[in-house]
Amino acid sequence: MYSKVKGGKTMMIQGIRVNLPVLPPSHLIDGNELSKKEQKFKRTLLPLKWNEKRAKEIKLQEENPTYINPELEAFRRQEWTRRLNGYWFYNNGKPTYMTGMHYMYCNWWKCDFGYPDFRIPDLHKFYFDQYCIEDPNCYGSNEICNRRDGKTARLGLFMYEYISRTPNTYGGLQSKTGVDAGKVFDLSIILPWKNLPDFFRPTYDFNNTQRSELRFYKPLKKGKNALQNFSNSNEELQSILNFKTSNIFSYDGYKLHRYGGDEVGKTEEVNVWERHQVVMPCMEQNGEIIGKAYYTTTVEDMKSGGEPFKRLWEASDPKVRSSNGRTKSGLYKYYKPAYQGWKYDAYGFPLEKEAKKYFLAERELRKDDPRALSSYIRKFSFTEEEAFMVDGDNCEFNAMILNERLSYLNLTPNIVSRGDFIWKNGIEPDVEQDGKIIFKHNSRNGKFRISWLPEKDEQTNLIKRLRTIKGVPHFMPINDQKFCIATDPIDHGVTVDGRRSNAATYVFRKFDLLVDDPNKVNEENQYDWQTHNFVVQYIHRPNEPTMYYDDMIKLCVFFGCQILAENQKRGIITHFQNKGYGAFIMNRPKETFTAKNNVQDTPGIPSSKPMIQQYTGKLQTFVEYHGHRIPFKELVTDLLGFDPNKPTKFDATVAAGFTLIAAENVKAKPIETVGGLEYVQFYDNSGNRSKPITN
């Protein structure tokens, strides 16, 4: 399903273009003779009196090794062909293709709950998995789904199907603990394996007293019942399936052709991201991927294994790849919402409307218990963000407000649009002319996300030319009363956890009495305003920091306001000053001073511990009264996970915190004319005049 087939259809699944095989003639598709209503998946059963006929075949083969029962052999060939090549059938009038593994799953993989039903979401997941298996740049899939979804049964078959038909291969399984891995191995591999017909069970040596390994070797001691250990070939595969403890290095040094990671989002004993770094080389040889992994989980809170898994999840986005065509994890992520895994109609289609109604009612029952509610939502999530929902006990801010806002934003995608701020007609200011910034929509890869912009052109680019120094025109903003900007800048460094952080910036629209009633609140006593909110977001890491610095100049010019930047990374401050925009850099607000004199009245703001405490407090207040209006889900997600002891991991929160500090920094900068010469008179934080800049 990785390579395009001439004449075959394609479909998009979770950002992956999957290629279907060519549709066969109608008479070769199962169910063609049935009415549309009767067309659905039905298990193909063993021929009548199979065991009796099979026992007779075995007895005759003792006398004549070449003897084969034609009826049994035809059935074996049919089922092996379907296992290897897939299966077509009519489903409510529509020709439907099942991968070979999916067919084996529904038809032969009998678990503790019986044989799995045919379900459309499973159909798509098996398409996705087959693509991952065939893609030479993919190590496998990384799945989030709700509980009781059959994910461990699919995992067990994924491990068994390849190892049980391929010589000299090795498959390993891990879970939250060694005990959990043993349970998965018993229920999802050993139990279904025992229920398989003999033609799908190769020669094996399985010691019932040590249930940690299934070896496809000739047994040292033959069993009494030949049916239980019969192979159509006397040869042994010399392949192994087993499980080990959750230890990071359990499979270090092994050559893994199949690897299973069960409940990786709930593994507390080890860091699953670090374990994955050990497992990946085990599935590679001479730069080529020779093994495939299957990760699956529901997610618990970030403090109980979820945070390392979230890192693994975010590194598995197939839309973000390196120059070698691989994601950071080598995996492709697959998310399945709970409403697709609840109940189904006779043809396997999920009853989504009924499911949503049920789950929302269950959420309503838990609304007065935030911890129980967030736990339930994680287990039965509607979106990726909900799967990683944070408990109130683990969040610095009001988690209920943020979680509710995140759910709303995920269901209302048109609140924000994307684009770029650019120089109109490509003309930048010089000694002879001024340039003008405009916003250009770019829904595909625009660097800025916006929820609101001034409606009229005359409300933008409110800046003032000061003078020209050494051929460089200098400017100042004159719209600070309406907007402010703050940024958590970048340099060429990395964070303490090895992550290359993004530059994060927010534009804040200050409260406007001409727009909002200061006393207007909703039923939750939250302010219901249009202003006093973040309106532009920039979370991006360009190839060169100067590209980011220039983006910030354009942003400041468009809104005509100052920007508050962290001053421990002075690149942005120096760049603004060198290009004539030094007046756009906000000095450190006086309320943040820790010294009694004005020695801290310098451009920018430090990211110190007192500063972190200060902006955390401001964000807590903002979330309490305005969190229901935050337009950017990236910010909401970042706030939910924010740890003040590790601020470098939360670029959006730091930038938003600086923005709220900047929003309360009020400076008057009147334009004065003396003797026909214009100059700007600055005032310090105490309202005292500073030295003017004159021509």
Side-chain angles (χ1 to χ4, degrees):
M1 310 197 90
Y2 171 73
S3 300
K4 185 171 178 56
V5 180
K6 186 176 181 180
K9 294 184 178 181
T10 64
M11 63 185 300
M12 293 297 297
I13 301 177
Q14 306 270 328
I16 295 292
R17 186 174 296 278
V18 173
N19 301 286
L20 298 176
V22 177
L23 180 70
S26 177
H27 69 279
L28 296 179
I29 301 176
D30 260 15
N32 63 85
E33 76 285 357
L34 301 174
S35 67
K36 179 180 177 181
K37 183 178 180 180
E38 293 176 319
Q39 291 173 342
K40 63 187 71 173
F41 178 81
K42 298 175 182 177
R43 286 192 60 240
T44 301
L45 304 178
L46 289 167
L48 290 175
K49 298 184 179 180
W50 172 272
N51 289 338
E52 181 180 326
K53 294 176 182 178
R54 183 71 183 96
K56 185 177 181 179
E57 183 183 45
I58 293 172
K59 187 174 182 179
L60 290 173
Q61 286 173 342
E62 291 176 357
E63 301 175 2
N64 179 10
T66 62
Y67 174 78
I68 294 177
N69 182 309
E71 178 191 3
L72 304 189
E73 183 63 13
F75 186 80
R76 287 190 289 255
R77 288 180 178 273
Q78 170 187 283
E79 294 308 293
W80 265 103
T81 298
R82 292 176 177 179
R83 173 177 173 177
L84 295 175
N85 300 325
Y87 170 70
W88 283 93
F89 74 103
Y90 276 104
N91 190 39
N92 195 29
K94 181 179 179 180
T96 303
Y97 173 75
M98 298 173 73
T99 66
M101 199 184 307
H102 190 192
Y103 174 80
M104 190 173 179
Y105 176 71
C106 291
N107 209 78
W108 297 113
W109 202 243
K110 186 179 181 181
C111 297
D112 56 330
F113 55 82
Y115 290 103
D117 295 326
F118 171 81
R119 298 169 175 175
I120 294 299
D122 287 347
L123 182 79
H124 295 163
K125 181 57 168 65
F126 277 101
Y127 285 173
F128 188 88
D129 289 337
Q130 190 62 37
Y131 182 99
C132 293
I133 290 171
E134 296 175 11
D135 185 345
N137 281 319
C138 180
Y139 285 91
S141 65
N142 191 6
E143 174 189 43
I144 294 178
C145 58
N146 61 288
R147 291 189 168 192
R148 305 290 183 264
D149 182 71
K151 58 183 179 297
T152 52
R154 294 192 297 270
L155 168 61
L157 177 59
F158 173 85
M159 300 291 295
Y160 179 85
E161 197 283 323
Y162 181 76
I163 302 299
S164 66
R165 62 176 170 83
T166 311
N168 305 116
T169 51
Y170 192 99
L173 172 71
Q174 290 181 288
S175 188
K176 302 192 297 293
T177 65
V179 173
D180 288 301
K183 291 179 180 178
V184 173
F185 190 75
D186 274 348
L187 294 177
S188 299
I189 295 179
I190 298 303
L191 178 60
W193 164 73
K194 286 183 175 181
N195 289 315
L196 287 174
D198 58 5
F199 54 81
F200 281 156
R201 286 203 314 262
T203 298
Y204 65 91
D205 179 15
F206 180 64
N207 187 340
N208 281 310
T209 62
Q210 295 179 347
R211 305 176 63 90
S212 63
E213 194 166 65
L214 179 57
R215 298 167 53 85
F216 298 117
Y217 285 77
K218 290 182 180 179
L220 296 176
K221 294 182 180 180
K222 294 184 178 180
K224 294 181 179 180
N225 190 338
L227 268 177
Q228 289 187 351
N229 193 11
F230 175 81
S231 171
N232 291 326
S233 169
N234 290 325
E235 297 180 357
E236 57 185 1
L237 290 174
Q238 296 185 352
S239 297
I240 296 175
L241 265 175
N242 67 13
F243 71 88
K244 292 184 182 292
T245 67
S246 61
N247 187 280
I248 289 177
F249 300 105
S250 286
Y251 284 106
D252 188 23
Y254 286 80
K255 182 187 289 187
L256 289 172
H257 299 88
R258 287 293 183 269
Y259 174 78
D262 174 61
E263 295 294 12
V264 283
K266 296 158 67 174
T267 301
E268 299 181 49
E269 292 185 349
V270 300
N271 184 306
V272 294
W273 169 261
E274 294 177 357
R275 189 174 70 188
H276 180 66
Q277 307 312 306
V278 175
V279 170
M280 269 202 301
C282 299
M283 297 186 289
E284 185 176 309
Q285 183 172 327
N286 299 326
E288 294 186 5
I289 298 174
I290 62 168
K292 300 291 178 174
Y294 192 115
Y295 286 100
T296 186
T297 194
T298 50
V299 181
E300 293 303 317
D301 66 75
M302 293 296 102
K303 304 301 181 183
S304 300
E307 189 170 1
F309 173 71
K310 185 178 182 182
R311 184 178 180 186
L312 183 67
W313 178 260
E314 292 172 344
S316 303
D317 187 346
K319 298 188 293 295
V320 182
R321 309 189 189 209
S322 65
S323 58
N324 64 9
R326 298 179 184 178
T327 65
K328 291 180 181 180
S329 70
L331 306 169
Y332 297 158
K333 65 180 183 177
Y334 188 98
Y335 173 76
K336 179 181 176 182
Y339 53 78
Q340 289 185 357
W342 188 58
K343 292 183 180 180
Y344 305 84
D345 66 16
Y347 307 101
F349 288 92
L351 304 177
E352 294 190 9
K353 290 184 179 179
E354 292 89 336
K356 287 181 179 178
K357 183 178 180 181
Y358 171 81
F359 287 122
L360 290 174
E362 289 295 308
R363 293 183 182 190
E364 182 69 18
L365 290 175
R366 296 165 173 82
K367 67 178 183 179
D368 296 327
D369 186 346
R371 187 174 181 83
L373 176 60
S374 60
S375 178
Y376 183 83
I377 290 175
R378 278 196 305 274
K379 291 180 179 69
F380 302 98
S381 61
F382 288 5
T383 65
E384 291 182 32
E385 290 80 7
E386 285 188 350
F388 292 101
M389 180 175 285
V390 178
D391 282 331
D393 292 350
N394 298 324
C395 184
E396 292 293 319
F397 313 106
N398 189 319
M400 283 304 303
I401 292 176
L402 293 175
N403 283 325
E404 288 177 3
R405 185 57 177 172
L406 189 59
S407 297
Y408 176 80
L409 291 174
N410 283 318
L411 297 173
T412 317
N414 296 325
I415 287 180
V416 172
S417 59
R418 295 181 65 176
D420 295 294
F421 291 95
I422 61 173
W423 292 107
K424 186 175 182 179
N425 300 322
I427 300 174
E428 295 190 39
D430 56 29
V431 293
E432 297 181 353
Q433 60 185 353
D434 294 337
K436 186 176 182 180
I437 296 295
I438 59 172
F439 181 78
K440 183 177 181 180
H441 288 276
N442 181 352
S443 60
R444 183 176 181 181
N445 53 15
K447 291 174 285 187
F448 293 87
R449 284 175 168 79
I450 63 166
S451 62
W452 176 89
L453 287 178
E455 295 180 357
K456 300 178 181 178
D457 288 345
E458 59 266 24
Q459 295 174 333
T460 66
N461 292 274
L462 298 178
I463 66 174
K464 186 71 176 178
R465 179 187 282 261
L466 300 178
R467 56 178 174 165
T468 298
I469 302 175
K470 295 182 179 180
V472 178
H474 283 61
F475 303 91
M476 66 164 288
I478 56 174
N479 205 25
D480 285 324
Q481 74 278 10
K482 287 190 175 182
F483 303 102
C484 70
I485 304 172
T487 186
D488 182 18
I490 58 170
D491 52 20
H492 288 285
V494 296
T495 61
V496 293
D497 61 353
R499 179 181 59 89
R500 295 179 75 229
S501 63
N502 291 306
T505 305
Y506 287 98
V507 177
F508 193 83
R509 185 185 182 192
K510 296 180 180 180
F511 179 78
D512 191 339
L513 272 171
L514 298 178
V515 177
D516 289 316
D517 177 357
N519 298 313
K520 186 178 182 180
V521 296
N522 61 19
E523 295 178 355
E524 304 296 328
N525 201 34
Q526 299 166 320
Y527 290 102
D528 194 10
W529 299 339
Q530 296 181 50
T531 60
H532 193 75
N533 202 1
F534 304 96
V535 294
V536 176
Q537 173 183 271
Y538 178 98
I539 300 178
H540 182 63
R541 188 181 184 96
N543 294 330
E544 291 293 334
T546 53
M547 300 170 66
Y548 150 67
Y549 303 154
D550 285 335
D551 282 337
M552 296 301 99
I553 287 176
K554 296 170 190 174
L555 190 65
C556 289
V557 170
F558 182 88
F559 285 96
C561 67
Q562 287 189 312
I563 183 170
L564 181 63
E566 181 194 336
N567 57 18
Q568 283 130 316
K569 301 171 185 176
R570 294 196 58 84
I572 184 173
I573 296 174
T574 302
H575 189 81
F576 266 62
Q577 292 170 340
N578 291 341
K579 296 201 73 170
Y581 296 92
F584 282 78
I585 297 293
M586 184 183 294
N587 276 19
R588 178 174 175 173
K590 186 173 182 180
E591 67 163 309
T592 70
F593 288 6
T594 55
K596 293 183 179 180
N597 52 38
N598 288 336
V599 296
Q600 295 177 337
D601 191 10
T602 56
I605 188 170
S607 184
S608 59
K609 188 172 182 179
M611 205 60 58
I612 295 169
Q613 294 173 341
Q614 189 163 2
Y615 69 62
T616 299
K618 291 185 180 298
L619 284 167
Q620 288 170 339
T621 301
F622 186 85
V623 168
E624 201 67 36
Y625 295 103
H626 306 282
H628 65 293
R629 299 190 297 119
I630 297 176
F632 305 110
K633 67 177 183 179
E634 294 83 4
L635 175 56
V636 176
T637 302
D638 211 60
L639 288 166
L640 280 165
F642 178 65
D643 183 348
N645 296 314
K646 301 176 182 178
T648 55
K649 296 177 64 176
F650 302 94
D651 311 306
T653 300
V654 173
F658 285 162
T659 305
L660 294 182
I661 289 176
E664 296 181 10
N665 183 46
V666 180
K667 279 189 175 182
K669 294 189 285 289
I671 299 296
E672 297 185 5
T673 302
V674 179
L677 297 177
E678 289 185 339
Y679 71 99
V680 59
Q681 179 68 64
F682 287 97
Y683 288 76
D684 64 21
N685 290 293
S686 300
N688 301 315
R689 288 197 177 197
S690 62
K691 184 178 180 181
I693 302 174
T694 62
N695 287 329

